């Protein structure tokens, strides 16, 4: 039972991440916007994580790198939340999952780590599964909001930047310090980009605070703590595979909460994508 505890933590954290897009889309019916939701989520998470004891000092100017890393995840969250106001939550998560091969591309361009043939083959299957899971063939180009596609693709690229940067910065401090600074950088970036929108709409009342607390606790603080405890125990490769649970959870939540339709073709595409992503993470773990 003890051996299952740490994998369960990673699974639970990924599942909690997966619920966010549906609840964010639901909050839009209350008149809220992606900018204020993502900003409040990041700010409250930074405060919560900053209050957790056990912080240690960082070496040199690592805090600057962590703030910049937070900028990437802040941009990813804002763009992802923005995308679900134009396209379905299930399609948004399908496109977001392209971060898996975006991260390979970035490592190739920045660090000259060329992907091998197995990784290139899995990218082909990810793209094939994306077309099926997004139901793009049935919907057709005219039925899709390309603005929403652009937002979710941009979110995927920003998320890939975050993953690449997060694996290389802040190694001198513990997870509390690192996570709090990343969330602070996330909140700052979202505010700088959307200061006008956040100030103009001014929805910061009791109802909005409840939504913000939910998103920050369920969508950031608890998963961050679960990952911080579980990932070091089971390894990055196994964790990356387990964290793909975010994908089916997001699609299922979109179906049951938002009543978005799921076809057999989409389910088949999801299975293909999950299998391909798992294989990719397996080959990446062999290189470590």
């Amino acid at each position: 039972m003890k051996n299952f505890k740490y994998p369960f933590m990673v699974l639970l954290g990924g599942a909690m991440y997966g619920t966010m897009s549906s609840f964010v889309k639901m909050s839009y019916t209350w008149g809220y916007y992606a900018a204020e939701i993502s900003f409040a989520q990041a700010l409250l998470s930074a405060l919560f994580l900053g209050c957790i004891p056990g912080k240690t000092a960082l070496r040199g100017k690592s805090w600057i790198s962590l703030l910049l890393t937070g900028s990437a995840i802040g941009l990813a969250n804002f763009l992802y939340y923005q995308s679900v106001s134009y396209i379905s939550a299930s399609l948004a998560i399908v496109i977001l999952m392209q971060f898996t091969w975006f991260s390979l591309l970035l490592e190739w361009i920045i660090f000259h780590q060329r992907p091998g043939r197995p990784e290139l083959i899995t990218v082909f299957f990810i793209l094939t599964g994306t077309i099926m899971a997004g139901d793009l063939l049935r919907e057709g180009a005219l039925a899709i909001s390309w603005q929403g596609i652009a937002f979710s693709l941009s979110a995927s690229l920003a998320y890939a930047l975050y993953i690449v940067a997060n694996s290389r910065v802040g190694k001198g401090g513990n997870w509390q310090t690192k996570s709090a600074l990343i969330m602070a950088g996330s909140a700052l970036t979202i505010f700088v980009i959307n200061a006008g929108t956040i100030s103009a709409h001014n929805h910061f009342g009791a109802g909005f605070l409840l939504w913000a607390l939910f998103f920050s606790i369920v969508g950031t603080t608890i998963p961050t703590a679960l990952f911080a405890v579980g990932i070091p125990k089971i390894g990055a490769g196994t964790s990356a595979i387990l964290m793909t649970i975010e994908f089916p959870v997001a699609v299922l939540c979109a179906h049951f909460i938002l009543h978005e339709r799921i076809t057999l073709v989409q389910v088949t595409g999801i299975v293909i994508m999950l299998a391909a992503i798992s294989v990719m993470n397996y080959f990446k773990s062999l290189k470590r």
Side-chain angles (χ1 to χ4, degrees):
M1 190 68 181
K2 286 184 178 180
N3 293 332
F4 182 70
K5 178 174 68 174
Y6 298 112
F8 177 74
M9 287 181 173
V10 176
L11 279 171
L12 180 58
M16 293 174 78
Y17 272 153
T19 64
M20 286 298 98
S21 58
S22 292
F23 286 112
V24 166
K25 192 154 189 170
M26 185 185 297
S27 73
Y28 291 161
T29 63
W30 290 50
Y32 303 133
Y33 296 86
E36 56 190 352
I37 290 172
S38 55
F39 169 67
Q41 177 181 350
L43 180 61
L44 288 174
S45 298
L47 294 174
F48 292 147
L49 290 166
C51 291
I52 297 176
K55 297 181 288 296
T56 58
L58 292 168
R59 299 174 183 173
K61 295 183 178 179
S62 296
W63 63 274
I64 297 177
S65 299
L66 288 170
L67 288 175
L68 291 174
T69 301
S71 296
I73 190 61
L75 191 59
N77 282 340
F78 164 66
L79 291 170
Y80 180 50
Y81 289 174
Q82 189 72 33
S83 72
V84 298
S85 62
Y86 293 93
I87 57 178
S88 66
S90 54
L91 178 56
I93 187 63
V94 166
I95 297 173
L96 182 70
M97 296 305 290
Q98 307 310 304
F99 77 83
T100 52
W101 63 267
F102 271 143
S103 61
L104 285 179
L105 183 62
L106 289 173
E107 288 181 336
W108 186 6
I109 294 172
I110 299 173
F111 302 106
H112 308 292
Q113 296 179 0
R114 186 173 181 174
R117 181 177 296 179
E119 292 166 325
L120 293 176
I121 293 173
T122 57
V123 168
F124 169 78
F125 281 105
I126 288 173
L127 293 175
T128 302
T130 297
I131 294 172
M132 297 174 67
D135 213 8
L136 300 181
L137 294 177
R138 185 184 66 83
E139 293 288 347
L142 296 178
I144 300 172
S145 168
W146 289 102
Q147 193 171 2
I149 297 291
F151 276 126
S152 51
L153 267 178
S154 300
S156 180
L157 179 57
Y159 193 36
L161 279 168
Y162 163 73
I163 291 172
V164 172
N166 196 28
S167 66
R168 287 174 164 81
V169 301
K171 293 185 178 180
N174 59 23
W175 71 269
Q176 295 97 326
T177 306
K178 184 176 179 179
S179 300
L181 282 171
I182 286 174
M183 284 298 105
S186 175
L188 180 61
T189 299
I190 295 169
F191 182 78
V192 169
I193 294 173
N194 300 285
T197 302
I198 293 171
S199 302
H201 293 297
N202 193 23
H203 285 135
F204 300 117
F208 178 80
L209 180 60
L210 290 176
W211 277 109
L213 285 171
F214 172 73
F215 290 132
S216 63
I217 294 172
V218 177
T220 306
T221 308
I222 294 178
T224 298
L226 290 171
F227 292 155
V229 175
I231 290 176
K233 296 292 185 180
I234 64 176
T238 303
S239 297
I241 294 171
L242 293 175
M243 287 166 65
T244 58
I245 195 173
E246 175 185 354
F247 185 18
V249 167
V251 173
L252 288 173
C253 281
H255 177 67
F256 290 109
I257 297 175
L258 302 176
H259 308 293
E260 293 181 2
R261 192 169 71 94
I262 302 177
T263 66
L264 181 60
V265 172
Q266 287 176 286
V267 173
T268 304
I270 290 169
V271 172
I272 291 173
M273 285 185 69
L274 287 173
I277 292 168
S278 297
V279 170
M280 177 182 289
N281 285 319
Y282 171 74
F283 281 113
K284 287 176 71 175
S285 67
L286 293 179
K287 292 182 177 182
R288 291 186 176 96

